[in-house]
Amino acid sequence: MTATGTVVPGRVGVVGLGLIGGSFARALHRGGTEVLAWNRTRSIYELARVETVDGELEGDAVGTCELIVLTTYPAHSVAWLEEHAHLVSPDAVVIDACGVKRGLCGRCRAVAAEHGFAFVGAHPMAGTQYSGFAHARADLFEGAPLVLCPPPGDPVDNLALLDRVAGLLAPCGFGSVTVATPEEHDEEIAHTSQLAHVVSSAYVKSPRAARRKGFSAGSWRDLTRVASLNAPMWSELFLANADNLVDEIDLLVAHLTEYRDAVAAGDREALEALLEEGNRAKEEADR
């Protein structure tokens, strides 16, 4: 069976109605976009159908979508695309919303090339410590960065493709678009996202954490916010980007050892130098 539906301009299909997929659906629906959706748990789809989703993303309906957004775990997103690729219209573009790009983009690009549609890797840089459709918000992406990983090819053709994706996602209100290769994306995300979750998860394991009430304020809140996470999803993301994440963990351990040694030795001069170095690094990062 091959794609038989006629693309309905602007119609979007969303695969997965968790926090990210649900927020895409709600933002697009609020902006007047017709949204079809698929979700593994039927009851969640039925709930979304009441107030957010216009129909089911199944069968010939897949071929009517101009844009399809894959928002489930990376392995499942790839599997869904492989299973449904024959239904996707050649006039459509498929994007994902996963937190890793190298393996996923390679496999999805191959599927897209075989079936004649376009695929662009995408990563909305937004989220919360919560998961599930119940926490999805129409304003989750407002002002947030969006990273796009176009396929190799002619820069002019890619510019038109990226403009098309940005236009279809306009109701989401992204604040900026950054273009990167999958390799660049995974290197950066190991530091800006994955390492932060590892540090937060490790930090709260101190036995003193349970006794912190009355002794904690903003520093505790900021450092522990992302310790509450979806363990199966983040495990998959960490392992898919293991080389980059291990490099970042090793670098952090080396820096922490410098601070630890200075404190243990009572070396105030060395400690002040390390702290000033951190101040300068933060200023440089904020420019």
Side-chain angles (χ1 to χ4, degrees):
M1 184 176 181
T2 57
T4 58
T6 300
V7 163
V8 176
R11 177 180 284 177
V12 177
V14 177
V15 178
L17 289 170
L19 173 68
I20 298 301
S23 295
F24 268 113
R26 284 182 163 156
L28 292 164
H29 179 79
R30 181 186 64 175
T33 298
E34 187 179 13
V35 179
L36 307 184
W38 175 93
N39 194 71
R40 186 193 303 270
T41 304
R42 182 72 186 184
S43 60
I44 298 299
Y45 167 78
E46 296 293 350
L47 176 64
R49 185 75 172 87
V50 173
E51 45 120 56
T52 301
V53 171
D54 299 294
E56 192 163 11
L57 186 66
E58 283 288 0
D60 289 345
V62 173
T64 68
C65 293
E66 184 177 1
L67 175 69
I68 295 175
V69 187
L70 309 173
T71 73
T72 54
Y73 295 5
H76 184 269
S77 289
V78 172
W80 189 95
L81 186 61
E82 290 175 339
E83 181 180 348
H84 295 83
H86 63 286
L87 299 171
V88 178
S89 170
D91 297 321
V93 57
V94 177
I95 68 173
D96 75 298
C98 300
V100 289
K101 286 290 167 277
R102 285 175 296 174
L104 182 145
C105 282
R107 292 176 66 182
C108 289
R109 286 171 177 175
V111 172
E114 179 183 353
H115 292 274
F117 57 84
F119 175 82
V120 175
H123 188 181
M125 301 306 300
T128 75
Q129 65 269 45
Y130 305 109
S131 61
F133 182 74
H135 299 285
R137 307 196 325 253
D139 64 351
L140 183 66
F141 307 122
E142 288 183 1
L146 174 66
V147 181
L148 294 179
C149 301
D154 183 85
V156 175
D157 290 342
N158 274 338
L159 181 60
L161 178 60
L162 296 179
D163 283 345
R164 183 183 176 199
V165 171
L168 289 166
L169 294 179
C172 297
F174 287 104
S176 64
V177 175
T178 299
V179 179
T181 66
E183 292 74 21
E184 291 169 340
H185 170 276
D186 286 1
E187 288 175 0
E188 291 300 325
I189 220 67
H191 173 72
T192 62
S193 177
Q194 294 182 342
L195 182 64
H197 284 78
V198 169
V199 170
S200 189
S201 180
Y203 175 71
V204 296
K205 292 178 181 178
S206 168
R208 296 191 181 277
R211 304 192 295 272
R212 58 96 185 174
K213 290 185 178 179
F215 296 89
S216 62
S219 297
W220 165 271
R221 182 177 61 251
D222 292 345
L223 193 51
T224 61
R225 183 182 67 82
V226 294
S228 299
L229 46 72
N230 181 331
M233 181 190 76
W234 282 101
S235 295
E236 183 174 336
L237 295 175
F238 290 166
L239 294 178
N241 199 27
D243 53 345
N244 290 316
L245 181 55
V246 168
D247 286 346
E248 289 295 332
I249 293 173
D250 287 345
L251 183 59
L252 177 63
V253 169
H255 286 312
L256 286 174
T257 300
E258 293 176 339
Y259 286 87
R260 183 262 175 210
D261 290 348
V263 171
D267 191 339
R268 180 169 179 171
E269 182 177 348
L271 185 57
E272 287 186 3
L274 289 170
L275 294 171
E276 289 294 348
E277 186 179 78
N279 288 339
R280 291 192 295 273
K282 180 63 164 60
E283 290 172 0
E284 179 66 27
D286 287 342
R287 288 178 185 167

